[in-house]
Amino acid sequence: RGNMRVCGLCVLILSLYLCFTHAEITKILGVSPADRSLYRSSGSPFACRGNPQRTIPWARVNDDYCDCPEDGSDEPGTSACIKGKFYCSNKGYRGETITASKVNDGICDCCDGSDEYTRGHCKNNCWEMGQQMRKEAEEEKKRYEEGIQLRQNLVAEAVRELASKRAELDVLKGQ
Protein backbone atom coordinates (compact mmCIF):
# COMPACT_ATOMS: atom_id res chain seq x y z
CA ARG A 1 0.00 0.00 0.00
CA GLY A 2 2.83 2.39 0.74
CA ASN A 3 4.21 1.88 -2.75
CA MET A 4 0.77 2.61 -4.24
CA ARG A 5 0.63 5.94 -2.39
CA VAL A 6 4.14 6.88 -3.52
CA CYS A 7 3.28 5.86 -7.08
CA GLY A 8 0.04 7.87 -6.97
CA LEU A 9 1.93 10.88 -5.60
CA CYS A 10 4.50 10.56 -8.41
CA VAL A 11 1.74 10.49 -11.02
CA LEU A 12 0.13 13.55 -9.44
CA ILE A 13 3.40 15.48 -9.39
CA LEU A 14 4.19 14.49 -12.98
CA SER A 15 0.69 15.51 -14.10
CA LEU A 16 0.98 18.89 -12.42
CA TYR A 17 4.42 19.43 -13.92
CA LEU A 18 3.16 18.62 -17.41
CA CYS A 19 0.11 20.85 -16.98
CA PHE A 20 2.11 23.85 -15.84
CA THR A 21 4.88 23.31 -18.40
CA HIS A 22 2.34 22.93 -21.20
CA ALA A 23 0.39 25.96 -19.96
CA GLU A 24 3.53 28.08 -20.00
CA ILE A 25 4.22 27.21 -23.62
CA THR A 26 0.67 27.47 -24.92
CA LYS A 27 -0.60 30.47 -22.95
CA ILE A 28 1.27 32.90 -25.18
CA LEU A 29 -1.01 33.39 -28.18
CA GLY A 30 -0.12 35.03 -31.47
CA VAL A 31 3.46 33.74 -31.77
CA SER A 32 4.67 32.44 -35.13
CA PRO A 33 6.29 28.98 -35.27
CA ALA A 34 9.61 30.63 -36.15
CA ASP A 35 9.51 32.67 -32.92
CA ARG A 36 8.11 30.12 -30.45
CA SER A 37 11.53 29.33 -29.01
CA LEU A 38 11.83 32.99 -27.94
CA TYR A 39 8.71 32.61 -25.79
CA ARG A 40 9.81 29.70 -23.62
CA SER A 41 10.95 30.68 -20.19
CA SER A 42 14.54 29.67 -19.61
CA GLY A 43 14.65 30.88 -16.02
CA SER A 44 15.89 34.31 -17.05
CA PRO A 45 13.58 37.29 -17.62
CA PHE A 46 12.00 37.99 -21.00
CA ALA A 47 14.15 40.31 -23.13
CA CYS A 48 12.38 42.67 -25.50
CA ARG A 49 13.37 41.80 -29.06
CA GLY A 50 13.73 45.44 -30.13
CA ASN A 51 15.73 46.37 -27.03
CA PRO A 52 17.35 43.30 -25.38
CA GLN A 53 18.62 45.45 -22.51
CA ARG A 54 14.99 45.90 -21.42
CA THR A 55 13.87 42.79 -19.55
CA ILE A 56 10.64 41.94 -17.78
CA PRO A 57 9.44 39.01 -15.67
CA TRP A 58 7.66 36.29 -17.68
CA ALA A 59 4.45 36.99 -15.76
CA ARG A 60 4.26 40.33 -17.61
CA VAL A 61 4.36 38.75 -21.08
CA ASN A 62 0.90 38.92 -22.70
CA ASP A 63 -0.56 40.75 -19.69
CA ASP A 64 -2.21 43.40 -21.90
CA TYR A 65 0.33 46.09 -20.96
CA CYS A 66 3.05 47.12 -23.41
CA ASP A 67 6.43 46.81 -21.69
CA CYS A 68 8.38 46.65 -24.99
CA PRO A 69 7.15 49.72 -26.91
CA GLU A 70 9.98 49.44 -29.47
CA ASP A 71 8.43 46.36 -31.10
CA GLY A 72 5.58 45.05 -28.93
CA SER A 73 7.33 41.70 -28.54
CA ASP A 74 6.05 41.21 -24.98
CA GLU A 75 2.40 41.30 -26.17
CA PRO A 76 2.09 38.97 -29.18
CA GLY A 77 -1.42 37.96 -28.16
CA THR A 78 -2.95 41.31 -27.20
CA SER A 79 -3.57 44.71 -28.76
CA ALA A 80 -1.61 46.55 -26.04
CA CYS A 81 1.34 47.58 -28.23
CA ILE A 82 1.07 49.89 -31.23
CA LYS A 83 3.92 48.09 -33.03
CA GLY A 84 2.78 44.62 -31.96
CA LYS A 85 2.13 41.73 -34.34
CA PHE A 86 -0.20 38.76 -33.96
CA TYR A 87 0.35 35.49 -35.81
CA CYS A 88 -2.72 33.59 -37.05
CA SER A 89 -1.84 29.91 -37.56
CA ASN A 90 -4.91 29.36 -39.80
CA LYS A 91 -4.50 25.58 -40.02
CA GLY A 92 -5.85 24.31 -43.33
CA TYR A 93 -5.09 27.59 -45.07
CA ARG A 94 -1.91 29.62 -44.56
CA GLY A 95 -0.52 31.41 -41.57
CA GLU A 96 -0.41 35.18 -41.57
CA THR A 97 0.66 38.05 -39.35
CA ILE A 98 -1.71 40.90 -38.58
CA THR A 99 -1.19 44.10 -36.62
CA ALA A 100 -1.90 43.69 -32.93
CA SER A 101 -4.52 46.45 -33.04
CA LYS A 102 -6.81 43.93 -34.78
CA VAL A 103 -6.74 41.52 -31.81
CA ASN A 104 -10.06 41.30 -29.94
CA ASP A 105 -11.57 44.22 -31.86
CA GLY A 106 -14.75 42.33 -32.75
CA ILE A 107 -13.72 41.71 -36.38
CA CYS A 108 -12.59 38.25 -37.45
CA ASP A 109 -9.29 38.88 -39.23
CA CYS A 110 -7.84 35.37 -38.92
CA CYS A 111 -9.78 32.65 -40.73
CA ASP A 112 -9.38 30.45 -37.63
CA GLY A 113 -10.79 33.18 -35.37
CA SER A 114 -7.73 33.14 -33.11
CA ASP A 115 -7.52 36.95 -33.09
CA GLU A 116 -10.91 37.14 -31.35
CA TYR A 117 -10.21 34.69 -28.52
CA THR A 118 -11.99 36.70 -25.81
CA ARG A 119 -15.23 36.83 -27.77
CA GLY A 120 -15.09 33.43 -29.45
CA HIS A 121 -17.65 34.41 -32.07
CA CYS A 122 -15.58 33.75 -35.20
CA LYS A 123 -16.26 30.73 -37.36
CA ASN A 124 -13.18 28.79 -38.38
CA ASN A 125 -13.38 28.77 -42.17
CA CYS A 126 -9.71 28.08 -42.90
CA TRP A 127 -10.38 24.65 -44.38
CA GLU A 128 -12.83 26.12 -46.91
CA MET A 129 -10.42 28.92 -47.79
CA GLY A 130 -7.63 26.36 -48.06
CA GLN A 131 -9.72 24.24 -50.42
CA GLN A 132 -10.20 27.25 -52.70
CA MET A 133 -6.48 28.06 -52.52
CA ARG A 134 -5.56 24.45 -53.32
CA LYS A 135 -8.03 24.40 -56.22
CA GLU A 136 -6.55 27.60 -57.66
CA ALA A 137 -3.02 26.22 -57.23
CA GLU A 138 -4.02 23.02 -59.07
CA GLU A 139 -5.54 25.07 -61.91
CA GLU A 140 -2.38 27.17 -62.13
CA LYS A 141 -0.26 24.02 -62.21
CA LYS A 142 -2.42 22.64 -65.02
CA ARG A 143 -2.03 25.88 -67.04
CA TYR A 144 1.72 25.79 -66.46
CA GLU A 145 1.96 22.18 -67.64
CA GLU A 146 -0.15 23.02 -70.73
CA GLY A 147 2.20 25.95 -71.42
CA ILE A 148 5.23 23.69 -71.17
CA GLN A 149 3.64 21.21 -73.57
CA LEU A 150 2.77 24.00 -76.02
CA ARG A 151 6.33 25.31 -75.87
CA GLN A 152 7.76 21.85 -76.49
CA ASN A 153 5.45 21.42 -79.50
CA LEU A 154 6.48 24.82 -80.90
CA VAL A 155 10.17 24.03 -80.42
CA ALA A 156 9.75 20.66 -82.17
CA GLU A 157 7.88 22.34 -85.05
CA ALA A 158 10.61 25.00 -85.33
CA VAL A 159 13.30 22.30 -85.44
CA ARG A 160 11.44 20.49 -88.25
CA GLU A 161 10.91 23.74 -90.17
CA LEU A 162 14.58 24.66 -89.78
CA ALA A 163 15.66 21.25 -91.07
CA SER A 164 13.28 21.62 -94.03
CA LYS A 165 14.61 25.11 -94.88
CA ARG A 166 18.23 23.87 -94.62
CA ALA A 167 17.41 21.02 -96.99
CA GLU A 168 15.87 23.53 -99.45
CA LEU A 169 18.93 25.74 -99.12
CA ASP A 170 21.23 22.79 -99.86
CA VAL A 171 19.17 21.99 -102.98
CA LEU A 172 19.36 25.60 -104.15
CA LYS A 173 23.12 25.74 -103.51
CA GLY A 174 23.56 22.57 -105.57
CA GLN A 175 21.94 24.10 -108.69
Side-chain angles (χ1 to χ4, degrees):
R1 274 192 119 164
N3 286 342
M4 291 278 286
R5 285 185 183 155
V6 170
C7 188
L9 185 60
C10 289
V11 169
L12 177 66
I13 290 171
L14 180 60
S15 297
L16 288 172
Y17 171 77
L18 291 174
C19 286
F20 286 115
T21 303
H22 181 69
E24 177 184 327
I25 293 170
T26 59
K27 75 176 180 181
I28 301 177
L29 301 173
V31 178
S32 72
D35 293 338
R36 283 197 184 123
S37 64
L38 302 171
Y39 290 89
R40 290 199 172 105
S41 174
S42 60
S44 57
F46 176 82
C48 299
R49 292 181 70 187
N51 180 3
Q53 291 76 30
R54 184 187 310 257
T55 61
I56 60 170
W58 279 96
R60 288 177 34 196
V61 173
N62 256 9
D63 64 349
D64 212 18
Y65 180 83
C66 191
D67 296 295
C68 300
E70 299 85 4
D71 61 359
S73 58
D74 69 306
E75 297 296 320
T78 75
S79 58
C81 298
I82 293 171
K83 295 181 181 179
K85 302 289 181 200
F86 181 89
Y87 179 78
C88 311
S89 62
N90 295 338
K91 289 186 172 113
Y93 185 51
R94 62 174 168 240
E96 67 178 320
T97 302
I98 61 172
T99 59
S101 62
K102 295 180 177 184
V103 175
N104 291 320
D105 64 352
I107 300 169
C108 305
D109 299 294
C110 303
C111 67
D112 63 1
S114 59
D115 63 309
E116 298 300 317
Y117 59 87
T118 60
R119 291 173 167 70
H121 69 283
C122 300
K123 178 185 177 228
N124 185 339
N125 61 354
C126 291
W127 182 252
E128 292 84 6
M129 291 176 68
Q131 280 182 313
Q132 181 64 31
M133 179 183 68
R134 288 183 288 281
K135 179 182 174 191
E136 290 169 4
E138 191 60 39
E139 290 169 358
E140 184 177 340
K141 178 183 172 193
K142 184 179 176 186
R143 284 191 305 274
Y144 178 75
E145 289 170 347
E146 289 170 352
I148 289 173
Q149 186 62 50
L150 178 62
R151 182 181 185 278
Q152 289 173 340
N153 293 344
L154 290 172
V155 167
E157 184 181 330
V159 167
R160 285 190 301 274
E161 188 67 28
L162 181 61
S164 171
K165 295 296 180 188
R166 283 188 177 154
E168 277 182 46
L169 184 60
D170 288 344
V171 169
L172 290 173
K173 282 184 181 177
Q175 292 180 352

